[in-house]
Amino acid sequence: MENHNRNWANQWQEWADWCLPHKDNITQIRIAGQEKPVRRLTDTCIEANFNFASGMYSYMFPPSTIWAKFKHPDPNMMGEDDVADYFESVSRIIHETILESNFAQEVQESLLDMGCFGTNNIYAEEDDDDVVRLRSFTVADYRIETNNKGRVDTVARKLKLDARQMEQEFGVDALFKADLGEIIEQLKSGAKNDTKYEVVHLVMPRTDYDPHKIDNENKPWASRYVCLKTKKIIKESGYDYNPYFVGRFAIGNDEVYGRGPMSMIIGTARRTNSIYRSMVVSAENHANPQWLLPDDDSVSFKGSPNRAGAMLYYKATGGANAKPERLQPNGDPNIALEMYQLHDSSIKRAFFNHLFRPLDDHQNMTATETNARVSTDLMALAPFVNRYQDEVVTPLLTYIYYLLQKQGKLPELPQALADDASFEVEYIGKISLATKSFEVMGAFQTLQMFAETAQYIPQAAEAFINVDQEKLFRETWYANGGSMNVLKSSSDVAEEKEALAQQADRQQMMDNLPQMAQAYSQGIKAPEDGSMSQAAGEAMASQMGG
């Protein structure tokens, strides 16, 4: 695992220098508060990465709405009132839990890591106050390995703790067992010591455990804290779920770590720096041209010759060539500016900044056309969003569901879910809705096409028999983020449709009663027993008698 990071460390350092300077302690280590010399002249990459992280967060996790809805995989089960109400309540409880936790801060930090390094890591732990507590770790602090399916299943994170923190984290007995008695002696003496102890927290799948036991040593995920100094295990336990949620933007051939937007425009960033330098020098030369002076001592000045009001002296007897003059620059700073703007725009587009300010590129359009184009543009993010949801968001929400259920903060499970309590998560953030809108738009475009064709070819209308109107309505409702418990259950809808059909039959019968009564009064033969005519006659007689 260490070899992976050696190969990546230099690249991570350069990427951080360009777009994430507050997390650039990778190969060039600095102490807290120490300033590093900056070779970066322009902050385009920093701005682009922050816009990427902020835009992705607001589009994926809008705080003003429930952006993740839990539901049963079987649509028929979701048609049951108690099941729909249960999952609607679960969705709301989990949303409130997320808002009350530090989800926003840590996920924002992790998305900054994603834009810069292409890999991020969120650690989740149970919290007595907020149900769950999250921490985002920078790629230089951990190592990862994948299983045979390419999923990250092993994480080793390095911690640096002082003596007091070691005692707080592991306790006295564990430190003695790990041959770290010196820490206890140091604390007893009260001597000040800033020594940091390096500890590795390793989490990996456990294969040799008994699932029927509930102790920590028989959890499906093994957890071990190892002291690098003594090579001894300080603490061993386990988890029901992997507490590390590692996401990757894109993966290269035979690579474990991800590659983000910064890795794809590193060359552009270098050129932008050079172009910016040329632009600044050119602008300075035009604003304050260089002086052309004779190579003798015929010119003198007081103070800086570039200062306003500065006085320059020259020997008037020296002739015209002795007089100092400005050297007019021949370069055009507008060319450098144009090149800089071109590279600046290229970097920001690589970070998808244009998708988060859609009106800049879609002016003078109707709202319908703008929405259609924005939805199309957002599809460029679909591969990353799907991967991020699969690797990070869905497992994290599942873990939060587990914690809420463990703490008894979820509603009672309906009887209908007693045999199958499985669930899936449906996302309704802006990017997810843009993806689903294509399915809805496709359905309605097909219906519109056949409706227009039916005006000329009536037989085309027969194709509508293939469409289940109720399913189409429900799919559209879900795709647009409608509340699940607002819809009526399938059984209630069927009962109401049957009642409406019976009401329509009765109304039709009442509308036909006058004609039928007139026919009977003109001597038509008596209706047969049990026939509709007899029922209509009796109904007419009853109405007239009433």
Side-chain angles (χ1 to χ4, degrees):
M1 296 175 71
E2 188 67 29
N3 291 333
H4 289 310
N5 277 45
R6 289 198 189 101
N7 297 334
W8 287 91
N10 291 333
Q11 296 187 70
W12 290 336
Q13 182 64 62
E14 185 176 14
W15 298 344
D17 288 340
W18 285 110
C19 77
L20 204 60
H22 69 284
K23 295 186 178 182
D24 62 355
N25 264 13
I26 300 174
T27 61
Q28 301 174 13
I29 307 300
R30 62 178 174 180
I31 62 175
Q34 180 183 358
E35 183 179 359
K36 280 187 178 180
V38 180
R39 63 173 181 171
R40 182 189 66 255
L41 299 179
T42 174
D43 298 331
T44 297
C45 294
I46 297 176
E47 178 186 354
N49 191 32
F50 270 85
N51 288 339
F52 167 79
S54 300
M56 289 300 304
Y57 185 89
S58 62
Y59 274 24
M60 292 180 66
F61 315 114
S64 59
T65 185
I66 299 177
W67 46 264
K69 291 196 172 182
F70 286 68
K71 66 177 186 178
H72 197 277
D74 185 358
N76 294 326
M77 291 289 288
M78 290 302 299
E80 301 297 328
D81 285 344
D82 54 348
V83 175
D85 289 342
Y86 171 78
F87 282 113
E88 183 71 18
S89 298
V90 167
S91 301
R92 294 185 182 280
I93 292 172
I94 289 181
H95 180 70
E96 293 171 359
T97 300
I98 287 173
L99 291 180
E100 293 172 358
S101 70
N102 62 337
F103 179 90
Q105 304 93 301
E106 297 304 314
V107 171
Q108 171 75 5
E109 285 292 330
S110 73
L111 287 173
L112 287 172
D113 289 351
M114 182 67 76
C116 179
F117 305 114
T119 305
N120 65 2
N121 187 0
I122 297 177
Y123 175 73
E125 58 185 349
E126 187 173 3
D127 187 83
D128 294 334
D129 298 324
D130 299 326
V131 180
V132 65
R133 191 77 180 168
L134 307 179
R135 291 182 64 188
S136 174
F137 295 109
T138 305
V139 67
D141 296 335
Y142 58 86
R143 315 287 187 266
I144 60 174
E145 285 290 353
T146 57
N147 59 17
N148 61 318
K149 296 181 179 180
R151 289 184 171 275
V152 176
D153 67 346
T154 301
V155 177
R157 176 173 62 91
K158 183 182 292 186
L159 302 80
K160 292 182 179 181
L161 306 175
D162 59 28
R164 187 172 66 92
Q165 293 169 334
M166 290 284 284
E167 182 189 24
Q168 292 173 338
E169 181 71 26
F170 305 111
V172 174
D173 293 341
L175 294 178
F176 273 117
K177 291 180 180 179
D179 294 339
L180 291 171
E182 62 186 78
I183 294 178
I184 308 303
E185 298 300 325
Q186 175 185 326
L187 292 174
K188 288 181 178 179
S189 67
K192 183 176 177 55
N193 192 327
D194 295 331
T195 302
K196 295 285 187 177
Y197 295 86
E198 292 187 339
V199 178
V200 172
H201 182 210
L202 176 65
V203 174
M204 60 188 300
R206 180 181 274 139
T207 56
D208 54 342
Y209 72 98
D210 187 350
H212 300 291
K213 296 182 178 180
I214 59 174
D215 57 305
N216 287 334
E217 284 71 24
N218 282 283
K219 299 285 188 180
W221 293 90
S223 170
R224 298 184 180 95
Y225 286 89
V226 181
C227 178
L228 294 184
K229 181 179 180 180
T230 63
K231 303 296 188 297
K232 295 290 186 66
I233 295 178
I234 307 175
K235 178 181 177 181
E236 182 172 7
S237 59
Y239 300 99
D240 289 316
Y241 290 85
N242 187 351
Y244 289 102
F245 304 92
V246 180
R248 294 164 294 175
F249 186 87
I251 304 175
N253 293 338
D254 299 323
E255 292 181 343
V256 174
Y257 294 91
R259 291 181 177 269
M262 189 63 227
S263 70
M264 303 172 190
I265 50 91
I266 185 64
T268 306
R270 295 167 182 158
R271 289 194 302 273
T272 305
N273 210 48
S274 299
I275 293 171
Y276 185 81
R277 181 186 296 107
S278 299
M279 183 178 66
V280 171
V281 170
S282 179
E284 286 180 345
N285 283 335
H286 276 74
N288 188 13
Q290 297 170 320
W291 287 98
L292 186 63
L293 304 173
D295 60 354
D296 54 22
D297 58 352
S298 60
V299 178
S300 63
F301 55 86
K302 291 184 177 181
S304 171
N306 296 322
R307 180 174 56 83
M311 293 182 291
L312 281 75
Y313 301 90
Y314 73 99
K315 295 179 180 180
T317 59
N321 293 332
K323 183 178 180 179
E325 60 178 319
R326 292 280 192 176
L327 180 62
Q328 296 302 318
N330 294 322
D332 186 356
N334 291 324
I335 296 178
L337 176 61
E338 182 179 347
M339 290 298 296
Y340 174 77
Q341 291 174 338
L342 179 65
H343 283 66
D344 180 86
S345 174
S346 177
I347 290 173
K348 291 178 179 177
R349 291 188 72 87
F351 280 90
F352 305 98
N353 287 185
H354 60 292
L355 299 182
F356 308 124
R357 297 178 59 89
L359 296 182
D360 292 348
D361 296 333
H362 299 99
Q363 299 180 8
N364 302 322
M365 296 182 185
T366 64
T368 303
E369 185 178 5
T370 299
N371 288 333
R373 294 201 176 189
V374 169
S375 296
T376 303
D377 291 343
L378 287 177
M379 290 300 293
L381 285 171
F384 162 68
V385 171
N386 291 337
R387 174 189 287 276
Y388 194 68
Q389 289 172 348
D390 179 61
E391 292 186 337
V392 177
V393 187
T394 300
L396 178 58
L397 292 178
T398 302
Y399 181 64
I400 295 175
Y401 177 91
Y402 157 77
L403 292 180
L404 287 167
Q405 195 174 51
K406 176 183 175 182
Q407 297 179 14
K409 296 183 178 181
L410 292 182
E412 185 178 355
L413 201 68
Q415 185 61 36
L417 297 177
D419 295 331
D420 182 11
S422 59
F423 61 84
E424 61 185 14
V425 183
E426 187 173 55
Y427 297 97
I428 56 174
K430 192 167 185 177
I431 297 177
S432 300
L433 288 181
T435 305
K436 294 176 184 177
S437 68
F438 277 88
E439 301 176 5
V440 176
M441 289 169 57
F444 282 98
Q445 287 174 356
T446 303
L447 292 174
Q448 183 180 3
M449 180 179 66
F450 274 85
E452 294 174 353
T453 304
Q455 296 178 6
Y456 307 99
I457 307 175
Q459 293 83 353
E462 298 177 1
F464 293 130
I465 197 173
N466 293 282
V467 180
D468 187 323
Q469 298 181 24
E470 291 184 16
K471 287 185 178 180
L472 177 61
F473 177 83
R474 289 179 179 271
E475 288 296 327
T476 306
W477 183 273
Y478 291 144
N480 289 328
S483 174
M484 293 181 288
N485 62 355
V486 171
L487 297 179
K488 299 176 181 178
S489 66
S490 300
S491 57
D492 286 345
V493 171
E495 291 177 1
E496 289 192 20
K497 290 177 69 174
E498 183 179 356
L500 289 173
Q502 294 176 356
Q503 183 180 355
D505 290 341
R506 288 194 297 270
Q507 185 62 42
Q508 183 178 6
M509 181 184 298
M510 297 299 294
D511 292 341
N512 294 332
L513 284 179
Q515 293 85 350
M516 296 175 64
Q518 183 179 3
Y520 295 142
S521 64
Q522 293 177 355
I524 297 178
K525 69 176 183 177
E528 298 179 0
D529 292 339
S531 66
M532 182 177 295
S533 299
Q534 185 185 45
E538 293 176 353
M540 183 66 179
S542 175
Q543 185 181 35
M544 295 177 63

